[in-house]
Amino acid sequence: YYPIISAYKRIINGRVEGVKLEVQVSLPKLLYCTNLWEIKPNDLEAVCQALHRCLVQTGVDIPLEVITKAILKRVDFSKIVRIPAMYGTAKQVTKKLSVFDYKQCSDFKFREYGDFSDGAAMKFYNDTQGYVVYDKISEIWGNGYTLQEQEIIKWYQETKQRRDVLRFEVSLERKQSMEAVLRRFIPN
């Protein structure tokens, strides 16, 4: 896994007046090579160090302190939930949940994906936020590319384990939306 890094230069009168660096990163993938596991509050230091190593490898040598004080532009919060057998598979639960279109001000999309992954996903989204529920194991099965995810796929193939992991994810698409939510939990 490697984050997406974009650098923008501001040139005025032929001189570089400033550089803006944007990094899109999945923190669980950065630490664990899969987002099947969740980041914990005490992982912040390890996250910053891992991101710093990635940036240095690409030739972006910025101090670690700059990363710890960076401005967040978008944040996705997620929760992994294992579904008890009595409720069915993750795909079946997602399908049952999809009939509740409770966010009328948002666009809604439900899709099933087949072939070898055989999963389902539902998504509510608008200009400021998104909310998605999906079958995490089937998503890894269909899109997993890290070594860790290849091991997970192999394990599921060998054990015939039922796919019972749902991922609930909230995306805050605008800085103002994110700040309003985070202000409730982080003073100042």
Side-chain angles (χ1 to χ4, degrees):
Y1 172 76
Y2 209 79
I4 297 170
I5 301 169
S6 304
Y8 305 93
K9 292 181 187 178
R10 191 172 84 189
I11 300 174
I12 300 174
N13 296 329
R15 292 184 26 217
V16 176
E17 294 288 330
V19 176
K20 179 174 124 180
L21 184 69
E22 284 188 8
V23 179
Q24 181 180 334
V25 61
S26 166
L27 301 182
K29 278 197 175 187
L30 184 66
L31 283 189
Y32 309 122
C33 296
T34 181
N35 59 6
L36 183 59
W37 294 288
E38 300 172 359
I39 293 293
K40 297 166 211 59
N42 58 349
D43 287 338
L44 181 59
E45 188 176 331
V47 163
C48 291
Q49 290 173 351
L51 184 55
H52 184 257
R53 279 192 303 276
C54 285
L55 292 172
V56 168
Q57 287 174 355
T58 62
V60 179
D61 193 8
I62 61 173
L64 184 61
E65 298 78 43
V66 171
I67 294 171
T68 62
K69 294 178 182 178
I71 296 170
L72 300 176
K73 186 175 172 183
R74 174 188 162 161
V75 175
D76 294 0
F77 298 97
S78 65
K79 186 70 183 163
I80 301 289
V81 177
R82 195 132 188 229
I83 304 298
M86 64 190 210
Y87 295 117
T89 64
K91 179 180 179 178
Q92 292 166 332
V93 171
T94 304
K95 210 169 186 176
K96 288 174 190 172
L97 289 173
S98 72
V99 299
F100 301 103
D101 184 359
Y102 68 94
K103 287 193 68 129
Q104 299 299 323
C105 62
S106 297
D107 292 326
F108 175 75
K109 186 188 303 181
F110 173 78
R111 70 181 182 91
E112 292 181 78
Y113 36 96
D115 300 336
F116 50 88
S117 59
D118 194 34
M122 61 182 237
K123 182 177 184 177
F124 297 93
Y125 55 96
N126 58 37
D127 290 344
T128 60
Q129 60 189 335
Y131 183 69
V132 65
V133 178
Y134 61 95
D135 176 348
K136 182 59 195 165
I137 299 303
S138 292
E139 188 269 337
I140 288 174
W141 196 298
N143 302 312
Y145 59 89
T146 67
L147 294 176
Q148 181 68 42
E149 290 170 335
Q150 291 299 312
E151 288 295 317
I152 292 168
I153 292 167
K154 183 179 175 185
W155 183 82
Y156 270 89
Q157 287 171 332
E158 291 173 356
T159 62
K160 305 282 193 243
Q161 175 76 21
R162 75 185 184 90
R163 298 183 196 152
D164 60 353
V165 179
L166 276 181
R167 182 177 173 108
F168 294 82
E169 190 173 294
V170 175
S171 303
L172 301 173
E173 306 284 342
R174 289 192 179 160
K175 188 173 182 277
Q176 296 90 342
S177 304
M178 184 184 61
E179 286 176 349
V181 170
L182 292 180
R183 215 174 286 120
R184 295 182 207 154
F185 303 104
I186 304 171
N188 304 319

